[in-house]
Amino acid sequence: MTNSANHHARVLQDKQYLWHPFTPQQRWIAGDPTVIVSGSGCYLIDDQGHKYLDAVSSLWTTVHGHNHPVLNAAIEQQLKHIAHSTMLGLTHPTAIELARRLVSLTPKPLARVFYSDSGSTATEIAIKMAFQSQQHRGHLRRTKFATLVDAYHGDTLGAVSVGGIDLFHHTFKPLLFNSLALPAPRSPGGEEERDCLTRALEMLDAHAHELAGFIFEPLVQGAAGMKMHSASYINTLAEHARSKGLLLIADEVAVGFGRTGTLFACEKLSFSPDFLCLAKGITGGYLPLAATLATEAVYEDFLGLPEEGKQFFHGHTYTGNPLACAVAIASLDIFEQEQVLEHTAMLTETLGQGLAQLKTRPWVSEIRQHGVLVGIDLCHPDGGELHPSTGHKVAMASRPLGAILRPLGNTLVLNPPLCMTRAETLQLLKITDDACAEVFAGVP
Ligand SMILES: *Cc1c(COP(=O)(O)O)cnc(C)c1O
């Protein structure tokens, strides 16, 4: 069969059998989906041999690039020993080693690693741990959580309950517990942020007695459309919440592993959280794995004789999977051995220079950047209403030009692998710019 006949057959079967996440299936079925068969560095390669720059790191996961020899070898090596063994009642060396490494790399009070397998479970676990910890401490009325407006912490029901993206979440309202959504700005440092902070502090004061914890995405609210706030905004809010007895949950599922320029965003903050949620980039983008880190003080709330029933009643079957832990360790080795954060600083600068150019276009209202995380807000050049699918159209137009983008509504997102070269970055910015020009040439 020719490449194209092969593609056609595959796509028919996709449309017959699959149901894609977050996808309007009717539009999907009407289209011609791209079928990715391999990857190399910052490129994805389809079944007809076309190469695309992976502008969003395969949904914010890929760190050192696709098909990385060191990461491949780590999985092959582990596979010679065992692919999976349970963490319930047993342990294994790769889970132990990765936990030791994570504790040594994160702020000091974080001392314990609880594994799971996705960002949603990482936050769900932190929420349940914080709640149970408050219960063990006798704070029985602390049953709710403070969050930020437009928060995204995952798609399981607990994570959705502390989420605030109406489009994703409103359908499930009757199934959720109530949270207190604190105002958060769209971009850092201005009048809007000062106003948000004042109102957020008042809300915390009014509700602190019923709050078990405060969960937040430090510095960048990714799925909200790369909304950003200053370190001083989250420092003030978190320290105030802590002074009122709340436990602090930092969700670094999106911002962790170098995306903001430091290994973890919380290195830029004046406080250490009680919980740190990690997923997406933890395995370099290779396998599903997540970790919820907790302080020793929280851990001690769960100590007691078995008959006291104080243990944390939660666990996932594939928790701490050895293959995933092995590749996560190899990814940390690469961070240490290949000056990844130095390269990230260069990438951040190149992005910033190129974005300055894009900012002058009549269809761009605002660009926000922190490290390699970028949000480009599109607008109607004449100030009119922009069709809600415009971001999607730009992403589709960028594909024949050689890039895979995935926007959030009418905010274009760039979040490249940290290994992207200067030349690839400039090419990606040019494709983004050209795709916009093409789409906006047709906007009435
Ligand atoms: C992606 C994301 C999650 C959810 O992670 P999944 O692995 O998709 O469940 C949670 N929090 C943040 C900040 C995220 O960006």
Side-chain angles (χ1 to χ4, degrees), residues 58-63 117-119 152 223 251-257 259 278-290 415:
S58 294
L59 242 298
W60 312 359
T61 58
T62 311
V63 180
D117 31 51
S118 75
Y152 179 75
D251 176 356
E252 292 218 28
V253 170
V255 297
F257 298 99
R259 298 274 160 197
L278 303 173
K280 290 198 169 100
I282 191 172
T283 57
Y286 262 58
L287 286 169
L289 179 72
N415 186 0

Side-chain angles (χ1 to χ4, degrees), residues 22-149:
F22 277 100
T23 300
Q25 283 290 137
Q26 196 174 316
R27 181 169 77 188
W28 175 268
I29 283 168
D32 179 22
T34 303
V35 181
I36 299 300
V37 293
S38 63
S40 174
C42 293
Y43 285 95
L44 297 167
I45 298 146
D46 75 10
D47 57 355
Q48 300 177 81
H50 300 123
K51 281 174 72 177
Y52 308 91
L53 281 166
D54 188 357
V56 291
S57 300
S58 294
L59 242 298
W60 312 359
T61 58
T62 311
V63 180
H64 312 294
H66 297 281
N67 225 331
H68 194 291
V70 174
L71 300 180
N72 291 3
I75 294 176
E76 284 162 15
Q77 195 54 36
Q78 177 59 41
L79 207 42
K80 289 180 188 157
H81 298 289
I82 192 165
H84 184 67
S85 162
T86 184
M87 297 290 289
L88 281 71
L90 294 172
T91 190
H92 61 82
T94 46
I96 297 166
E97 170 63 6
L98 178 60
R100 186 188 70 76
R101 296 277 290 270
L102 289 174
V103 167
S104 78
L105 290 167
T106 50
K108 196 140 183 46
L110 296 165
R112 296 280 166 177
V113 176
F114 192 98
Y115 289 116
S116 62
D117 31 51
S118 75
S120 304
T121 55
T123 57
E124 191 93 24
I125 284 162
I127 292 162
K128 287 177 73 178
M129 273 183 179
F131 176 84
Q132 192 175 337
S133 166
Q134 294 282 16
Q135 295 284 307
H136 287 324
R137 291 176 191 184
H139 302 139
L140 304 183
R141 291 175 61 216
R142 288 188 182 269
T143 57
K144 295 196 174 114
F145 287 83
T147 68
L148 297 180
V149 163

